[in-house]
């Protein structure tokens, strides 16, 4: 969600460093930005609504060795310049940026008002500099005052703070990621590693309930509650500059869709012993629960079908945000499988906390190595999709499904068969995703681009893919799209179909083919324009997008043409598919 980057060190262009870092966090999605630089005259702040990339000159940034910057994704308070971060204390000396939510901000705000503090924004964040200012009346040490203030906050947050009279950059974390970048000439503190990847690939992770204080020369991690020092390892991260750039593509979304030719094969390349151990853990668990949000949740739903059809084993799926209500079914022998691209999604982390609280074990399936979910799980499988920058998740989904499918095969002792099936699927996708194919789908996008509504149907493992199709189309093209189980149509949604309404049918060459084709025929009878995504043609299709016939992996290939269609719908409708309005790449608030 919000992006944070701070720097303190020997370089004198700290302002430029943090703004450049902020631009590398743009993919996360935001609505306003701000930067603060400590100069010889105090702290200079500039903030505004809109995109930092639209600012043509950075001349406003003065020479500085201590600076921080922020991109805001509005939660509390509208998108206004006043609400953009950083926020400052009454004396203008204490400056703070936040990622997350201070849940008890209303009470704190009232208390601070009675003590004479004035507020200029409607955000929760603004209470932070004022509370630190209040604490500094009795505690002159800036870092100690930040700690005291943090102990009063409720909620999940990551904050970075600085003071006009102090050389320190101070940060604290309870729930929202903050990572220290260790450079030769100073330290960065950021919400995500791309922010400083041009300067360093050596990192130290701040864990929940910790704070960090640095003057650019030395650094001290400590427990937020006790103040006791915490020792941290330095970890080398790998950054492929090729993977993090758009290359020949106009947008990350299309690049990442095309990368599925390779990323699925990478996901399958797992340690055999580990997959077999985890497959046994699922079979032995007294209740396995799959959780994720948005697209990751659709991978979990698809896995319900994989485990059922392939392994004959029942598992439970819940959107992570609904998992709270499942706590009564959890035992120490239960297993939670948390699926996430970013590894930072607040609701998924909350589900893990609930499961761990009941003594259950947690398996994480993540893309982002070093993320909070990856570090907090008992076992972690990485899908190795490489950085996913577009807000719309594409290659992460198919990587997650590939790993889950592999586990389903391992559950019946047929891991090699699953591996072969998936590698054949990856090869078939390689053949499918050629320029002629994407141009054909672009033509369909051209044809339906003016439609205001779009419906998608599927059955079996194509049902979660119908739901996922709707998410993809909604989030990048802003066309109203809804996915249904084909059999549900006649129980209500079919009333929405008019002459020419575009309807996508996700079809496999499987036991439910006849049923879903019947549903497509029902749609056509009401005037629906049927786009069939299927290995085999059928006369009901007005347009047929051919996909390879890959048996149990059909859901993985069927979603890909919809990703391409969503992309072209967005572009043709003049939308930026990489940065959809109102959305963030990593949803770190509940
Ligand atoms: O990083 P995660 O996989 O945990 O993110 C979960 C969702 O926020 C994410 O999949 C979201 O739905 C995507 N924007 C969909 O494309």
């Amino acid at each position: 969600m919000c992006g944070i980057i701070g720097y303190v060190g020997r370089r004198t262009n700290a302002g430029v460093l943090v703004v450049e870092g902020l631009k590398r966090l743009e993919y996360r999605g935001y609505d306003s930005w701000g930067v603060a630089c400590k100069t010889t005259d105090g702290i200079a702040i500039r903030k505004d609504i809109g995109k930092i990339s639209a600012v043509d000159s950075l001349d406003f940034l003065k020479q500085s060795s201590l600076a921080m910057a922020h991109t805001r994704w509005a939660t509390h308070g509208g998108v206004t310049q006043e609400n953009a971060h950083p926020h400052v204390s009454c004396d203008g000396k204490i400056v703070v940026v936040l990622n997350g939510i201070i849940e008890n901000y209303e009470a704190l705000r009232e208390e601070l008002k009675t003590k004479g503090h004035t507020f200029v924004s409607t955000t929760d964040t603004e209470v932070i500099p004022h509370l630190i200012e209040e604490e500094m009346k009795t505690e002159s040490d800036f870092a100690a005052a930040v700690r005291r203030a943090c102990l009063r906050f409720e909620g999940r947050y990551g904050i970075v703070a600085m003071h006009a009279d102090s050389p320190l950059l101070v940060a604290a974390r309870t729930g929202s990621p903050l990572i220290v970048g260790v450079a030769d000439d100073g330290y960065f503190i950021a919400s995500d590693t791309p922010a400083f990847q041009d300067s360093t690939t050596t990192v130290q992770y701040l864990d929940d309930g910790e704070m960090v204080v640095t003057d650019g020369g030395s650094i001290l991690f400590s427990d937020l509650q006790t103040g006791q020092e915490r020792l941290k390892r330095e970890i080398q991260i790998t950054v492929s500059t090729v993977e993090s750039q758009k290359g020949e593509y106009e947008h990350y979304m299309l690049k990442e869709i095309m990368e599925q030719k390779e990323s699925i094969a990478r996901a399958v390349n797992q340690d055999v012993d580990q997959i077999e151990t985890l497959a046994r853990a699922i079979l032995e668990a007294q209740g396995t629960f799959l959780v994720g949000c948005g697209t990751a949740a659709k991978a979990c739903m698809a896995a319900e079908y994989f485990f059922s059809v392939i392994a004959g084993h029942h598992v439970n799926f819940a959107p992570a945000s609904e998992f709270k209500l499942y706590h009564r079914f959890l035992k120490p022998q239960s297993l939670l499988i948390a699926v996430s691209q970013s590894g930072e999604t607040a609701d998924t982390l909350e589900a893990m906390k609930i499961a761990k609280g009941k003594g259950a074990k947690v398996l994480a399936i993540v893309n982002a190595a070093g993320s909070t979910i990856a570090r907090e799980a008992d076992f972690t499988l990485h899908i190795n999709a490489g950085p996913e920058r577009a807000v719309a998740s594409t290659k992460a989904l198919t990587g997650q499904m590939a790993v889950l499918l592999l586990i389903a095969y391992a559950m019946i002792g047929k891991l090699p068969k699953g591996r072969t099936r998936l590698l054949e699927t990856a090869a078939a996708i390689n053949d499918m995703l050629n320029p002629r194919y994407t141009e054909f789908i672009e033509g369909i996008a051209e044809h339906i681009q003016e439609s205001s509504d779009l419906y998608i149907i599927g059955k079996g493992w194509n049902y979660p893919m119908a739901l996922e199709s709707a998410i993809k189309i909604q989030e990048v093209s802003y066309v109203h799209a809804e996915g249904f189980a084909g059999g549900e149509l006649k129980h209500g949604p079919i009333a929405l179909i008019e002459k020419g309404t575009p309807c996508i049918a996700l079809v496999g060459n499987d036991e439910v083919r006849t049923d879903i084709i019947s549903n497509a025929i029902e749609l056509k009878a009401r005037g629906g324009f049927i786009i069939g995504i299927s290995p085999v043609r059928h006369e009901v299709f007005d347009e047929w997008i051919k996909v390879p016939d890959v048996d149990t992996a059909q859901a993985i290939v069927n979603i890909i043409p919809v990703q391409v269609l969503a992309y072209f719908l967005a572009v043709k409708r003049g939308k930026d598919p990489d940065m959809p309005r109102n959305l963030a790449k990593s949803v770190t608030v509940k």
Side-chain angles (χ1 to χ4, degrees), residues 292-297 339-345 348 373 388 390-394 396 400 468 471-472 475 583-587:
C293 295
T295 294
V339 180
S340 173
Q341 188 288 127
S342 63
E344 301 294 350
T345 302
T348 310
I373 292 178
E388 192 181 69
V391 165
S393 187
T394 54
Q400 290 156 356
E468 166 60 12
I471 297 188
K472 261 331 56 91
E475 70 182 327
L583 290 175
K585 180 66 184 158
S586 167
V587 183

Side-chain angles (χ1 to χ4, degrees), residues 468-539:
E468 166 60 12
S469 300
I471 297 188
K472 261 331 56 91
I473 294 164
Q474 292 158 1
E475 70 182 327
V476 297
S477 74
Y478 315 154
V479 171
H480 167 240
E482 279 186 73
F484 299 104
E488 281 294 300
L489 277 177
K490 48 188 165 298
H491 300 288
I494 203 158
L496 298 166
I497 308 302
E498 295 174 348
K499 188 167 167 28
T501 306
C503 303
I504 301 174
L506 300 177
V507 185
N509 197 11
D510 52 25
E511 58 183 312
V512 295
R513 177 178 168 80
T514 321
D515 296 339
I516 195 75
I517 290 288
S518 295
N519 300 142
I521 292 169
E522 289 157 12
L523 288 169
K524 184 140 181 163
R526 272 83 188 171
F529 175 79
I530 312 297
I531 302 161
I533 296 181
S534 163
V536 185
R537 186 194 286 276
H538 190 281
E539 61 188 13

